[in-house]
Structure formats: C-alpha cells, structure tokens
Amino acid sequence: MSRFRSLLQASVNATKKALTWNVEEWVPPAEKYIFKFHSKEDLKKWHLYSDSEYGGLSSASLEIPEGGNGSDGTGIFSGNLSVNISEGSQWKINRSGFCGMRSKKFDGFIDLDGYDAIALRLRGDGRCYISTIYTENWVNSPGQAEDNSWQAFVFAPKDNWYTAKIPLARYLPTWKGNVIDVEMEMNPGRVLGMSLSVNAEGGAVGAKSGAGDFRVEIDWIKALRLP
C-alpha cells in the first residue's frame, strides 16, 4: 500500500509540473520587442513614403546620426510637410502634406496574441503622429490585395523622451486614412507590419500642426501585457 501511495503521489506531482510548464509556455512575457531603431541594419527593415509619390512636395528621411550606430543610437524620422502640389502633376489628389515610414514585407506574421497594447518610446516635436497596424485582410475584403489597417494617434512631446502606450482596442479600422464605420475585430495573431506617419492637418487637440518641418526620434516599438 505504501508503494502504491508513493507511485500515486509521484504521478500527481508530475501532472502538476506538466500543467505548470504548459501555463508558463502559454502566457507570453510581459513585454516583447517588435522593432528596434538602434542601428542602420534596424532601419533597413523600413521604407519611406510621402505625398511626393502623387505629385505632392513633402519629403522625409529615416536615419541614425553619425556616431550613433551602436546600442545607444536611435532612429530619427524627419522631413518637411508641404500642402502644395507640384505644377503639371498628372495625379489628382484631394490632399497633400503627409509622410510616413512603414515596415517592409517579410515572411510570416507578428503574433501579438496575449498582448493588450503597443508601446513606442519617442522624443518628438509636439506633433501628433499616427501609429498603424496592418493585419491580414480576411475580415473586411478577403479578395482584395490590400492589408487591413488599424490606426491610433500618438502624441510625441517636444524635447522629452516619452513612452506612449496604446491599447490595441484603441486602434480603429481605416481605409485610405479615413476611419470606416464597420464592426470589425483586429486579429492580433496575424500582424503583417506597422507604420508611423504624420499629417500636416488633424491630430490631437493642442498638438502642433500645419505645414513645415517635423522630427521624431524613435527608440523601439514593443508589445505589452497590461496589468
């Protein structure tokens, strides 16, 4: 009987250990890096876009300052926003004055299942920027090649480092920069990429706006589990 009890206790202990291991494997870390901006190699994962592709006159750059190619370096997204259109442009655009940086395509997905928020460590110019998450287009229009886009404003205070934490629930579905009035739910397990952009007009109340220069330093983008 004593031997039987010993075997039974050993089986119970093994089961508890297995259950504990499975729970630890299922629960993700409290935070995880999605993108870093510490080196020129990190910046190669991104490409720039602006209204200049459609006849606008805005411009942008993404770079690491000279001597900042090590772990202490941070990426600088900067440029100039113009609301003017180049003369003789063949494009008929309704508005200009925007620039952005978007992560390049890659195989697979960014899995954000188990996370509640996106965090960005920024030092800006007082403007309001737009954080975009791109997900696989299976909810809205599966037959279309475009990704689903989800956007939220992020304020970049002037001169001071700031960690902006944006709950995933705050990201709204958009189409060509406009919020669409449909009931959609983001699939955080099928994220295809991200972007950070800025417009001459719009944004949070009190934030700097209008044409002119913009500049934001970005250290990293993380996924967070909120307490």
Side-chain angles (χ1 to χ4, degrees):
M1 181 65 69
S2 177
R3 183 182 179 186
F4 173 76
R5 288 178 177 174
S6 297
L7 290 173
L8 179 61
Q9 187 61 47
S11 177
V12 170
N13 291 339
T15 300
K16 288 182 178 179
K17 183 177 181 181
L19 288 174
T20 301
W21 180 83
N22 287 335
V23 169
E24 290 176 348
E25 285 293 302
W26 181 78
V27 177
E31 61 180 47
K32 76 171 181 178
Y33 282 104
I34 303 175
F35 294 106
K36 298 179 182 180
F37 300 86
H38 297 166
S39 69
K40 293 180 180 179
E41 287 300 313
D42 290 339
L43 269 54
K44 289 180 180 179
K45 299 176 182 178
W46 296 78
H47 68 84
L48 298 168
Y49 63 90
S50 72
D51 57 38
S52 63
E53 300 173 27
Y54 309 100
L57 296 175
S58 300
S59 61
S61 66
L62 177 62
E63 58 187 0
I64 294 278
E66 289 298 326
N69 197 31
S71 59
D72 294 330
T74 53
I76 298 178
F77 173 49
S78 62
N80 181 270
L81 297 170
S82 172
V83 295
N84 298 319
I85 306 295
S86 59
E87 294 184 11
S89 172
Q90 61 178 338
W91 299 95
K92 294 182 179 180
I93 57 176
N94 296 323
R95 62 184 175 87
S96 60
F98 64 88
C99 294
M101 48 180 275
R102 177 171 176 170
S103 60
K104 294 179 180 178
K105 294 285 188 178
F106 56 89
D107 294 332
F109 303 93
I110 301 170
D111 186 358
L112 299 184
D113 264 335
Y115 290 96
D116 310 298
I118 297 297
L120 304 92
R121 186 168 185 263
L122 307 165
R123 179 162 62 183
D125 53 3
R127 287 186 181 270
C128 194
Y129 290 76
I130 301 171
S131 171
T132 304
I133 297 174
Y134 300 96
T135 59
E136 186 180 36
N137 193 341
W138 64 277
V139 177
N140 186 26
S141 304
Q144 295 184 6
E146 295 88 352
D147 306 327
N148 289 136
S149 60
W150 309 77
Q151 296 185 326
F153 286 124
V154 52
F155 178 63
K158 185 177 181 180
D159 299 331
N160 295 316
W161 281 105
Y162 170 69
T163 299
K165 299 177 181 179
I166 312 171
L168 292 179
R170 193 179 297 174
Y171 282 84
L172 300 176
T174 61
W175 172 251
K176 294 184 178 180
N178 298 310
V179 175
I180 53 178
D181 187 18
V182 294
E183 291 188 7
M184 293 175 61
E185 184 176 345
M186 182 192 296
N187 183 357
R190 311 283 282 188
V191 174
L192 296 169
M194 296 183 174
S195 72
L196 186 69
S197 58
V198 60
N199 293 337
E201 306 299 334
V205 176
K208 178 182 177 181
S209 63
D213 294 339
F214 69 90
R215 186 182 189 275
V216 60
E217 291 181 67
I218 178 166
D219 191 3
W220 44 252
I221 300 175
K222 293 181 180 180
L224 300 180
R225 282 197 298 112
L226 298 178

